[in-house]
């Protein structure tokens, strides 16, 4: 397949549109795509018959960036608060998140807290257990 040209592996009906897309790519208009290919049974060694599909995932990538940036802003906000923020699953008694201020305020690491399902209960003052 390495010795073949782009035009030789493109179906004639798709060639004009694909060449147009190639020119856009050369001009710097790049799209994120998910590219899949599969050799037709019996042609695995020669790759003379290959099925190729592409999916435009540009919107998906944009959404990922928005989510990532939002998560970074939330993380920044949480880690600037002078307090301990955590996320806890009441059904499993599992802490899935503890903010970085834990070490400054209580002098325990997040790893110490997250390793033990009973960490919180083991560290409550006895007087506080009555409430």
């Amino acid at each position: 397949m390495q010795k073949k040209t782009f035009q030789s592996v493109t179906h004639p009906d798709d060639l004009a549109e694909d060449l147009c897309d190639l020119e856009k790519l050369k001009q710097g208009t790049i799209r994120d795509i998910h590219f899949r290919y599969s050799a037709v049974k019996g042609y695995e060694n020669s790759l003379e018959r290959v099925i190729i599909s592409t999916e435009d995932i540009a919107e998906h990538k944009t959404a990922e960036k928005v989510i990532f940036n939002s998560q970074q802003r939330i993380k920044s906000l949480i880690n600037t608060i002078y307090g301990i923020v955590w996320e806890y699953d009441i059904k499993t008694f599992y802490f899935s998140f503890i903010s970085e201020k834990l070490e400054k305020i209580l002098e325990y690491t997040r790893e110490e807290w997250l390793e033990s399902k009973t960490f919180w209960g083991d560290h409550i003052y006895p007087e506080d257990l009555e409430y």
Side-chain angles (χ1 to χ4, degrees):
M1 180 129 179
Q2 294 174 344
K3 296 179 183 178
K4 306 227 181 236
T5 66
F6 170 75
Q7 290 82 356
S8 70
V9 297
T10 302
H11 191 277
D13 293 346
D14 298 329
L15 192 55
E17 184 179 347
D18 289 352
L19 286 171
C20 181
D21 289 344
L22 182 60
E23 283 305 311
K24 289 178 185 175
L25 181 65
K26 288 178 183 177
Q27 295 169 7
T29 307
I30 298 175
R31 303 282 299 178
D32 287 308
I33 63 166
H34 183 209
F35 179 84
R36 291 179 291 264
Y37 72 94
S38 178
V40 173
K41 189 174 182 176
Y43 294 93
E44 295 88 354
N45 293 332
S46 68
L47 297 177
E48 290 177 16
R49 302 284 188 268
V50 179
I51 298 170
I52 297 173
S53 68
T54 60
E55 178 185 2
D56 185 340
I57 59 168
E59 288 181 20
H60 178 76
K61 287 292 195 179
T62 300
E64 280 182 351
K65 287 177 188 173
V66 168
I67 291 168
F68 178 78
N69 290 338
S70 176
Q71 288 172 332
Q72 292 303 106
R73 285 192 303 273
I74 290 169
K75 182 179 178 181
S76 175
L77 174 64
I78 286 172
N79 288 323
T80 57
I81 295 170
Y82 191 77
I84 301 168
V85 178
W86 68 75
E87 184 176 60
Y88 178 74
D89 185 330
I90 195 141
K91 291 179 183 175
T92 62
F93 305 110
Y94 177 73
F95 285 90
S96 56
F97 174 80
I98 309 289
S99 63
E100 294 174 2
K101 294 292 185 193
L102 169 69
E103 291 184 47
K104 231 178 204 179
I105 296 171
L106 296 181
E107 298 180 356
Y108 289 103
T109 66
R110 289 187 292 174
E111 291 75 22
E112 288 175 297
W113 188 311
L114 295 173
E115 282 175 0
S116 171
K117 283 187 172 186
T118 60
F119 182 90
W120 181 246
D122 294 343
H123 293 84
I124 295 176
Y125 289 109
E127 300 85 35
D128 291 340
L129 288 172
E130 297 172 12
Y131 297 102

